[in-house]
Amino acid sequence: MEDILFYIFAAGTLLSAFLMVASRNPVNSAMFLIVSFVGIAALFVMLESYFLAVIQVLVYAGAVVVLFLFIIMLLDVEDSDKIRPKIFTIVAGGLAFALLAIGVLGLFASGAGGPEPELPMRTAASLSRNFGYQLFTKYMLPFQMIGFLLLAAMVGVIYISKKGPTASSDEPEKE
Amino acid sequence: MNDRLAIYSEMAQENSWLSILPEISLGVLALLLLVLEMTLPKERQGLILRLALFGQVVILLAGVVFSSLFGVATEHTSFNGLLMHSVRGDVMRLFFLLCSLLVCHLGHQYASRRGLPQVEFIHLVLIVTAGLMLLAQSHNFILLFVALETVTVGFYILVSYSRGSLYSLEAGLKYLILGAFSSAILLFGIVLLYGAGGNPQLPGSSGDPMNFALLGSFIEANPDNILVLAGTVLVLCGVAFKIGAVPFQIWIPDVYQGAPIPVTAFLAVASKAGGFIVLIILVQGPFAPLERVLVPMLGAIAILTILFGNLGALSQKNVKRLMGLSGIAHAGYMLLGIVASFQVPWAANAVVFYLFTYLLASFAIFGVMNNMGPLEDGDMTLDDFKDLARKNPYNAAVLAIGLGSLAGIPPLAGFIGKLLIFIAAFKAGLYGLLGVAVIGVVLSIYYYFGWILEVYFWPSLVKAESEETIEPSGPGLIPAANSHRIVLGCLTAGTLILGFYQGALSYLL
């Protein structure tokens, strides 16, 4: 039963991820991204990591994709249908995919990626308390640094997007 | 439950915040700048810049005085193994502080000429510097990744800082997309290593495989594990992007061209140094047992990097692209030092010395570039430097000494840096690599001296072609403040002094 569910969710995640890249309409892409994220959340549930699953849905499928949709609507992209990938891009992408596939198959053929026996759980990842303890003791320093990272990002967004007298008057035409 | 709480409180005890006081001071200074900008009246805003520069000087001096350079140097970890304090880490902290000071100085000059806001610039530079300083001491993949992202996010904004310029915005977008791509590769590698290192079925596994020491002993026990090899290669790919090594060098010319000059200097020196210090930490730490795989891989990358950088720079007329491409070549020489460090342990210190010489020479050159040329600096070519020697002999001399040092001309610091790395490579028996590096140096003399030729011998070059005297028609120099002359003078003096006397840094070797 669990195996079947795993295959269903994994296939759904992969398929929607592929459709997200291949889809011509950006709004459709964002929708497929949500499906993909929900599939990953389902995989987390099967690993008994309920907290991660909830975060995955709340933050990624909820907040992040909604933000994407806002921006797509604001930009009002119309010409995206006309942009076709070049032959060179398709060939290069196909080649990269083939190389990766050979690598992964080689991994399985060598037995290194083979089925591993089930392992006992170290700490219950379902409890948000465990994350909290780690975050505020051992990983306090990276936690504080992320605060500065977000501040820098915020200052940057405000700086780059704010309206005002642009500095350089002799703006060149980009060839 | 209580005993678990006891463990956690013990962990919290290990967070020795005092040991990262310089980084905390930088962060506080960055916050203070934003607050002061909001509260101070318009006419007193000049105070903020003075405070920023003065604060950094104080932190730098305090860093020199209280660093482990003069005390008994002992390597120890803190923050539950997140950080590793070592002499090399302390040296690199001072290196990054020095970079930050110079970038703030150049940035002040650059921004006031173009009417760009300055406080945000310095704020971002300070946060990036704090991130780089923590990167130099990282001993854990989580800290490493967070520090690297802090640095990279800051750079995304700094690259597109000149937001009226299309070049700058385009460079920012390119850097954002490729930077995110490389971060993803790095993260994927870390995850593979974490998954393999945490597997209790394998010998040497541990509960915290993010820790470099524990990961190192795990890799030593399983040097042939496929996941370990794949993870290592992916992590090194992510780092190779930061240092601009082939095949991850493609972003460098465009981004260097588009970024404002101070940011180009910051990228060229500090971001590259950050990548190299991470590489040294990884190669001498957890990845040391993989010598069999890494020496051929890094060696091949070094050869390609040296050749690509030098050949690309040969026909380049745009000075910022030229600096970018020649910077790729310098990354190649330093990679040679990294490859040698598997056999000759002091080769890693030779790389650090090389970084210092690169800092002095690069900032001198970018400082001169900042002094002149059109407002849209993305278009600055060698032609803008025509006859600089007659128009401004001081800047011309600074430029010539800087270029000579980068080319590796004997009495200058760059020569000693290259010599140390080449000796290390010779001792490690990397004769093929050494040959390629020497060819690279010979090629580099061509384009560096072509630049010097433009500066010093332009009139005679023209006269050889036609007898009439042609006045150079490039935009003139901007009268530079005395402070700028002093900074350039100090950088040049540093290049000269390090060329003759290396005692100051000899404890590294």
Side-chain angles (χ1 to χ4, degrees):
Chain A
M1 181 61 196
E2 233 176 72
D3 281 356
I4 298 170
L5 276 180
F6 171 81
Y7 284 121
I8 291 173
F9 285 128
T13 307
L14 285 178
L15 186 70
S16 53
F18 176 77
L19 286 174
M20 184 213 119
V21 179
S23 156
R24 291 255 158 260
N25 187 333
V27 179
N28 288 358
S29 281
M31 290 302 170
F32 282 123
L33 192 60
I34 295 183
V35 178
S36 181
F37 282 152
V38 171
I40 293 172
L43 292 178
F44 277 138
V45 169
M46 292 180 55
L47 290 170
E48 298 180 36
S49 307
Y50 305 117
F51 179 69
L52 278 184
V54 171
I55 291 290
Q56 175 81 19
V57 172
L58 274 184
V59 175
Y60 284 93
V64 172
V65 178
V66 168
L67 204 66
F68 284 176
L69 282 173
F70 260 119
I71 290 167
I72 291 169
M73 306 264 180
L74 273 179
L75 288 178
D76 196 22
V77 196
E78 279 174 7
D79 297 337
S80 62
D81 285 348
K82 289 169 193 151
I83 303 170
R84 296 271 161 197
K86 291 176 193 153
I87 298 289
F88 177 74
T89 318
I90 296 173
V91 171
L95 209 65
F97 177 76
L99 280 176
L100 267 180
I102 291 172
V104 172
L105 288 178
L107 210 78
F108 280 111
S110 71
E116 302 265 354
E118 192 173 331
L119 302 174
M121 197 181 288
R122 274 223 178 81
T123 29
S126 57
L127 288 176
S128 52
R129 191 166 53 205
N130 291 338
F131 288 94
Y133 278 137
Q134 292 273 337
L135 211 52
F136 283 96
T137 54
K138 182 166 180 184
Y139 296 108
M140 193 64 194
L141 178 61
F143 182 66
Q144 299 283 357
M145 284 167 71
I146 287 175
F148 274 96
L149 193 164
L150 294 176
L151 177 71
M154 209 160 64
V155 169
V157 167
I158 294 170
Y159 171 76
I160 290 178
S161 62
K162 85 179 165 194
K163 283 208 175 74
T166 41
S168 63
S169 46
D170 52 348
E171 195 169 299
E173 281 300 315
K174 188 87 172 88
E175 61 271 274
Chain B
M1 197 63 232
N2 273 329
D3 49 327
R4 176 172 284 179
L5 275 182
I7 294 173
Y8 283 125
S9 68
E10 207 171 285
M11 281 183 175
Q13 297 286 324
E14 266 241 13
N15 291 350
S16 50
W17 295 99
L18 275 182
S19 63
I20 55 162
L21 199 57
E23 288 85 351
I24 295 176
S25 320
L26 279 184
V28 171
L29 191 60
L31 294 179
L32 197 64
L33 293 185
L34 287 190
V35 173
L36 282 180
E37 198 203 10
M38 276 192 297
T39 50
L40 277 185
K42 262 244 152 51
E43 61 270 18
R44 302 188 63 188
Q45 295 273 323
L47 204 66
I48 302 177
L49 300 168
R50 269 181 226 139
L51 176 79
L53 290 178
F54 180 70
Q56 286 184 69
V57 172
V58 169
I59 295 172
L60 182 62
L61 290 180
V64 172
V65 172
F66 293 110
S67 67
S68 56
L69 306 186
F70 300 110
V72 189
T74 48
E75 295 204 344
H76 64 280
T77 60
S78 67
F79 287 91
N80 306 293
L82 290 188
L83 292 181
M84 162 76 94
H85 303 284
S86 61
V87 177
R88 191 182 296 133
D90 276 2
V91 170
M92 289 312 287
R93 279 161 105 182
L94 297 180
F95 178 92
F96 290 129
L97 268 175
L98 191 61
C99 278
S100 147
L101 202 54
L102 290 167
V103 170
C104 284
H105 172 77
L106 290 185
H108 166 60
Q109 196 196 15
Y110 184 92
S112 52
R113 225 184 113 194
R114 289 164 179 78
L116 292 170
Q118 310 195 6
V119 177
E120 286 88 346
F121 185 88
I122 296 178
H123 170 83
L124 290 169
V125 169
L126 291 180
I127 289 185
V128 167
T129 306
L132 282 166
M133 287 164 77
L134 286 169
L135 195 63
Q137 310 169 68
S138 58
H139 194 59
N140 182 302
F141 267 127
I142 291 187
L143 188 93
L144 184 138
F145 188 72
V146 171
L148 204 61
E149 279 306 287
T150 312
V151 173
T152 318
V153 167
F155 268 120
Y156 296 151
I157 304 154
L158 286 175
V159 166
S160 43
Y161 198 81
S162 175
R163 64 196 173 96
S165 150
L166 285 181
Y167 282 121
S168 186
L169 291 177
E170 184 196 326
L173 189 65
K174 277 184 178 159
Y175 192 49
L176 172 71
I177 291 172
L178 290 175
F181 183 60
S182 82
S183 292
I185 293 179
L186 176 72
L187 200 56
F188 193 43
I190 293 173
V191 167
L192 288 183
L193 288 175
Y194 180 76
N199 187 346
Q201 304 279 319
L202 296 173
S205 72
S206 64
D208 187 11
M210 293 285 194
N211 186 299
F212 288 165
L214 296 174
L215 183 65
S217 52
F218 169 76
I219 290 181
E220 197 158 17
N222 315 272
D224 291 322
N225 187 306
I226 296 267
L227 282 183
V228 167
L229 290 178
T232 306
V233 170
L234 288 175
V235 167
L236 290 180
C237 285
V239 177
F241 177 86
K242 295 283 171 254
I243 60 179
V246 174
F248 300 96
Q249 87 295 4
I250 216 77
W251 58 280
I252 285 200
D254 284 349
V255 173
Y256 277 32
Q257 186 190 4
I261 290 172
V263 179
T264 312
F266 202 25
L267 261 180
V269 179
S271 177
K272 193 168 282 168
F276 269 104
I277 193 67
V278 167
L279 198 58
I280 291 174
I281 290 170
L282 289 175
V283 161
Q284 299 219 323
F287 296 163
L290 297 175
E291 184 188 335
R292 181 178 50 81
V293 183
L294 292 186
V295 168
M297 179 182 140
L298 291 176
I301 291 179
I303 289 178
L304 290 174
T305 308
I306 291 172
L307 289 180
F308 180 92
N310 282 315
L311 292 176
L314 273 185
S315 60
Q316 196 53 251
K317 287 272 173 267
N318 184 307
V319 283
K320 280 163 98 185
R321 293 181 85 89
L322 178 70
M323 285 305 285
L325 288 161
S326 74
I328 295 177
H330 286 286
Y333 304 138
M334 286 187 266
L335 270 176
L336 177 61
I338 302 275
V339 177
S341 74
F342 281 105
Q343 300 286 335
V344 187
W346 58 263
N349 293 330
V351 172
V352 173
F353 182 83
Y354 196 101
L355 283 171
F356 269 95
T357 67
Y358 188 63
L359 174 141
L360 292 171
S362 292
F363 270 104
I365 294 169
F366 281 113
V368 173
M369 277 162 67
N370 206 16
N371 239 350
M372 56 183 302
L375 276 178
E376 180 52 67
D377 47 59
D379 292 327
M380 199 188 281
T381 61
L382 289 180
D383 290 344
D384 290 321
F385 287 83
K386 268 177 195 163
D387 212 14
L388 184 67
R390 214 176 46 192
K391 284 188 284 185
N392 191 329
Y394 185 74
N395 275 343
V398 169
L399 186 71
I401 290 176
L403 287 171
S405 177
L406 284 187
I409 301 305
L412 301 170
F415 170 71
I416 306 291
K418 282 202 173 68
L419 190 68
L420 285 175
I421 284 186
F422 288 179
I423 291 174
F426 182 76
K427 278 195 171 169
L430 304 164
Y431 304 118
L433 271 174
L434 201 55
V436 174
V438 170
I439 294 172
V441 171
V442 173
L443 285 175
S444 76
I445 288 176
Y446 173 78
Y447 54 80
Y448 285 130
F449 273 60
W451 195 344
I452 296 180
L453 220 58
E454 290 279 342
V455 170
Y456 273 95
F457 302 110
W458 183 76
S460 52
L461 284 178
V462 176
K463 267 181 199 146
E465 287 168 14
S466 64
E467 278 305 307
E468 39 190 312
T469 46
I470 302 167
E471 282 303 306
S473 57
L477 277 164
I478 304 93
N482 277 334
S483 63
H484 196 65
R485 288 167 165 273
I486 293 170
V487 169
L488 286 181
C490 288
L491 289 170
T492 310
T495 302
L496 287 170
I497 291 169
L498 274 184
F500 288 112
Y501 172 73
Q502 298 84 32
L505 288 166
S506 59
Y507 61 87
L508 273 173
L509 313 171

